[in-house]
Amino acid sequence: PTLELICENINDDVAHPNFRLWLTSYPSPKFPITILQNGVKMTTEPPKGLKNNLANSYTLDPISDTKFFETCDKKAELKRMTYALCFFHALIQERRSFGPVGWNIAYGFNDSDLRISVQQLHMFLNYKGDIPYKALRYLIGQCNYGGRVTDDRDRRCLLSILDIFFTPNIHKAGYKLSPSGTYVVPPEDDAKGYIEFINKLPVQVHPEVFGFHENADITKDQQETNLLLDSILLTLDSGSSGGGKSQEEILEDLANDILAKLDAFLPNEKGFDVELVAEKYPVLYEESMNTVLQQECLRYNKLTCQIRKSLKDLKKALKGQIVMSGALESMANSMSLGRVPTLWTENNMSYPSLKPLSGYIDDLVKRVQFFADWISDGIPTIMWISGIFFTQAMLTGAMQNFARKYTKPIDMIQFDFQFMKKGAVEKKSPKPSDGIYINGLFLEAAQWDNDKMELAESSPKVLFYDTPVIWLKPCEIKDLSKFSHYACPVYRTSERHGMLSTTGHSTNFVMFLKVPTSLDAGHWVKRGVAMITQLDD
């Protein structure tokens, strides 16, 4: 209100003829609408495409100033490292177009990050002695660009990419900036020569320059298509077309179908019989999984009761028996578009899911069946990690069992991981002596080689792979096995980014899982390799 009042009080008769008010701001819903309506608006965005972004960097101050290079004691080194820094700047901006595979969170890296980094580079190269690559990597990766990065997995990726560019090898002739050698550091030249070199770069960029597999292009195209379709859906009329069922009839049939599926696997209106579960699986010091089961039943009861109640209320509202509230109307619109209603997901009522409505209900039924089998048949040999509402509780329960069994402090215990061979562990196999077997994870941006028992490159056009059964073995930190591995992040959905909940856990990130690999871990970091507990379909 104060800014709006200041602008309204500017008197044209008193103000100087050449007076202009220049306001800069990040996008914000709180910015006064009247100022936007009465002013000339201008936005700045990075050029689209690696080549255009790189060319734009050479028009910025101080890179465009020839004196900037002339005043440096190591002029040749500054030119090469400036080009490398501009390439790094363009690369990390373009990774955003690949969605969560590129960055978990789309960060607003901008020209000011590049400008301060170039100035620091100039300052450090003027010092006598060797070039302090480690200091430069810290300043640029942890402070300038890293200052915007809030996700630890993204920070790891940023530093891994920066290692390619800030290395003594950058000064070697023809140093490759991409595995294929399409992009190299150009020979020393003036500003015009560098721009001419950039203009000869290919317009179409292969994913390998970003560190991705060729399948990343498919992921990128899918996201752009989904965004387009979502935008189209927002403009569609919710009314029915002639000849078929009315919208009300379609919604009522859909509600009946969902209720029938829930009734088939969970006949009790209140959900699982918690008292029976507590009697059959009491809270025991030596078996924490009983507590996990009771807590999971309570969570699923809360969710299924909310779904049942809202569907019944919607049916009554469609018949005119109760008032169609705003929440019910929003629910009807979501169901018409095949989306999960916010009435089911708000206030952490539901587990995270990106599935459409049909996929969500099918998944919910499978989860309910998993716990029904657990209650009737006992603790399963293989834990379906995808079906656990609060995954961290199950993992903590497994460690608690180990800690109490061997009287070890739980803060000195971590999981060791062993990937089991195909068919080695079945549902009827005996349970492990310590820890748990898990399944239900999907590898993205890589696959599991069952022959070599290690991480391998994805096959063309295959985006996700089922992982084998994994044995989570609790052990003391000093006893952890040492092998060449990639610390693979495990997420609940392909969206990857989440928020810290009141329990101190992320709403999406689950844990790091050590996956054997014969390649350098940085290779998979740049690939964006991760595991997720459920697909989007």
Side-chain angles (χ1 to χ4, degrees):
T2 307
L3 177 61
E4 198 170 350
L5 187 63
I6 292 171
C7 294
E8 287 178 356
N9 290 337
I10 296 175
N11 192 334
D12 294 340
D13 298 328
V14 178
H16 191 278
N18 293 332
F19 170 75
R20 300 291 184 273
L21 179 62
W22 182 278
L23 300 172
T24 60
S25 170
Y26 280 110
S28 171
K30 297 180 181 179
F31 198 90
I33 299 298
T34 54
I35 297 178
L36 290 174
Q37 291 172 338
N38 297 327
V40 177
K41 294 167 284 295
M42 181 173 65
T43 61
T44 57
E45 293 182 354
K48 195 167 184 179
L50 187 70
K51 178 180 176 180
N52 293 333
N53 202 314
L54 196 54
N56 178 69
S57 297
Y58 272 83
T59 65
L60 301 175
D61 180 68
I63 301 173
S64 59
D65 187 359
T66 54
K67 292 182 181 178
F68 174 73
F69 295 99
E70 296 297 332
T71 55
C72 181
D73 295 339
K74 300 183 179 73
K75 184 167 65 174
E77 288 85 346
L78 178 62
K79 287 184 177 181
R80 293 191 194 96
M81 296 186 76
T82 298
Y83 180 85
L85 185 57
C86 292
F87 200 97
F88 166 77
H89 176 75
L91 189 147
I92 62 174
Q93 286 189 324
E94 287 302 306
R95 276 182 71 101
R96 289 183 299 196
S97 61
F98 292 88
V101 177
W103 301 110
N104 290 356
I105 301 169
Y107 302 101
F109 301 120
N110 57 38
D111 295 340
S112 64
D113 301 324
L114 176 63
R115 187 175 292 111
I116 186 64
S117 298
V118 167
Q119 289 171 344
Q120 288 175 345
L121 177 62
H122 184 280
M123 180 181 70
F124 272 87
L125 290 182
N126 268 336
Y127 291 149
K128 294 181 180 179
D130 296 334
I131 299 173
Y133 294 101
K134 188 176 180 180
L136 285 167
R137 283 197 295 266
Y138 183 85
L139 274 174
I140 295 169
Q142 296 281 16
C143 303
N144 302 341
Y145 288 93
R148 299 183 183 275
V149 178
T150 55
D151 189 289
D152 288 340
R153 277 71 64 187
D154 285 340
R155 185 180 298 275
R156 179 178 70 163
C157 182
L158 182 78
L159 295 173
S160 183
I161 294 170
L162 188 61
D163 286 343
I164 300 172
F165 300 95
F166 275 54
T167 167
N169 295 328
I170 200 75
H171 304 295
K172 293 180 179 178
Y175 176 71
K176 294 180 181 180
L177 299 178
S178 65
S180 65
T182 305
Y183 297 89
V184 297
V185 177
E188 184 186 353
D189 208 334
D190 56 14
K192 185 179 178 181
Y194 278 110
I195 292 173
E196 288 177 356
F197 180 86
I198 292 168
N199 289 333
K200 294 177 183 177
L201 295 176
V203 177
Q204 294 293 331
V205 182
H206 193 276
E208 57 108 26
V209 70
F210 303 103
F212 296 136
H213 187 270
E214 59 185 21
N215 287 346
D217 269 342
I218 302 174
T219 304
K220 179 182 177 183
D221 294 341
Q222 281 182 342
Q223 288 177 346
E224 291 177 353
T225 303
N226 289 336
L227 180 63
L228 174 63
L229 293 176
D230 287 342
S231 302
I232 292 172
L233 283 174
L234 292 174
T235 64
L236 291 180
D237 184 8
S238 60
S240 62
S241 57
K245 289 184 178 181
S246 66
Q247 190 70 16
E248 290 77 11
E249 290 174 328
I250 294 172
L251 283 171
E252 187 172 0
D253 289 346
L254 183 56
N256 287 331
D257 182 53
I258 294 171
L259 287 170
K261 286 182 177 179
L262 284 178
D263 291 340
F265 292 93
L266 205 60
N268 191 338
E269 285 284 324
K270 295 182 180 179
F272 294 109
D273 189 338
V274 180
E275 291 183 1
L276 179 66
V277 172
E279 184 180 340
K280 190 174 181 180
Y281 298 93
V283 176
L284 297 175
Y285 179 80
E286 62 272 9
E287 186 50 84
S288 297
M289 289 301 167
N290 290 359
T291 306
V292 173
L293 175 60
Q294 291 183 31
Q295 292 174 348
E296 289 292 307
C297 288
L298 288 171
R299 292 188 181 98
Y300 278 105
N301 283 355
K302 188 178 178 182
L303 173 59
T304 54
C305 286
Q306 173 70 359
I307 293 174
R308 279 191 166 110
K309 181 181 181 300
S310 60
L311 288 173
K312 289 175 180 178
D313 287 347
L314 178 62
K315 287 170 65 178
K316 290 178 182 177
L318 292 172
K319 294 175 181 177
Q321 295 174 354
I322 61 172
V323 176
M324 176 72 81
S325 64
L328 288 176
E329 186 178 0
S330 173
M331 176 181 172
N333 291 335
S334 296
M335 290 175 65
S336 300
L337 297 174
R339 293 174 176 167
V340 180
T342 54
L343 203 59
W344 302 352
T345 58
E346 62 187 1
N347 300 323
N348 296 322
M349 185 75 68
S350 171
Y351 49 86
S353 178
L354 301 179
K355 292 178 180 290
L357 181 59
S358 59
Y360 178 85
I361 295 300
D362 290 341
D363 182 53
L364 176 60
V365 168
K366 289 178 183 176
R367 289 167 180 256
V368 168
Q369 184 61 50
F370 171 72
F371 284 102
D373 292 342
W374 185 340
I375 294 168
S376 62
D377 303 335
I379 299 174
T381 298
I382 304 174
M383 286 288 184
W384 183 41
I385 193 171
S386 306
I388 307 297
F389 201 114
F390 185 36
T391 317
Q392 282 84 357
M394 182 196 70
L395 300 175
T396 304
M399 285 203 288
Q400 276 183 342
N401 284 347
F402 179 86
R404 290 169 177 175
K405 181 179 178 181
Y406 298 102
T407 60
K408 302 290 184 182
I410 195 168
D411 58 340
M412 298 299 292
I413 296 171
Q414 286 186 6
F415 279 121
D416 223 343
F417 305 96
Q418 182 177 335
F419 284 72
M420 310 304 291
K421 289 190 175 182
K422 194 172 182 179
V425 180
E426 303 290 347
K427 287 185 177 180
K428 294 182 180 180
S429 301
K431 299 182 185 66
S433 55
D434 295 315
I436 52 174
Y437 294 127
I438 63 167
N439 69 350
L441 294 176
F442 301 91
L443 258 174
E444 183 178 15
Q447 66 173 313
W448 177 254
D449 190 326
N450 281 306
D451 297 325
K452 295 182 179 179
M453 297 297 287
E454 65 176 19
L455 209 56
E457 296 289 0
S458 301
S459 298
K461 301 181 181 179
V462 182
L463 303 182
F464 299 97
Y465 291 87
D466 293 336
T467 60
V469 173
I470 305 171
W471 183 7
L472 272 56
K473 299 188 291 184
C475 65
E476 291 188 79
I477 295 175
K478 63 182 179 65
D479 296 329
L480 287 171
S481 57
K482 296 179 181 179
F483 56 94
S484 176
H485 69 273
Y486 164 61
C488 182
V490 180
Y491 300 97
R492 302 181 75 178
T493 68
S494 63
E495 195 176 34
R496 298 196 183 190
H497 70 82
M499 297 178 292
L500 278 179
S501 62
T502 53
T503 60
H505 297 95
S506 169
T507 55
N508 207 332
F509 176 72
V510 178
M511 63 176 174
F512 281 111
L513 201 153
K514 294 180 181 178
V515 187
T517 176
S518 56
L519 297 176
D520 181 67
H523 173 81
W524 304 113
V525 170
K526 293 188 281 288
R527 279 278 195 267
V529 175
M531 290 184 187
I532 55 176
T533 62
Q534 56 178 299
L535 302 179
D536 297 350
D537 52 12

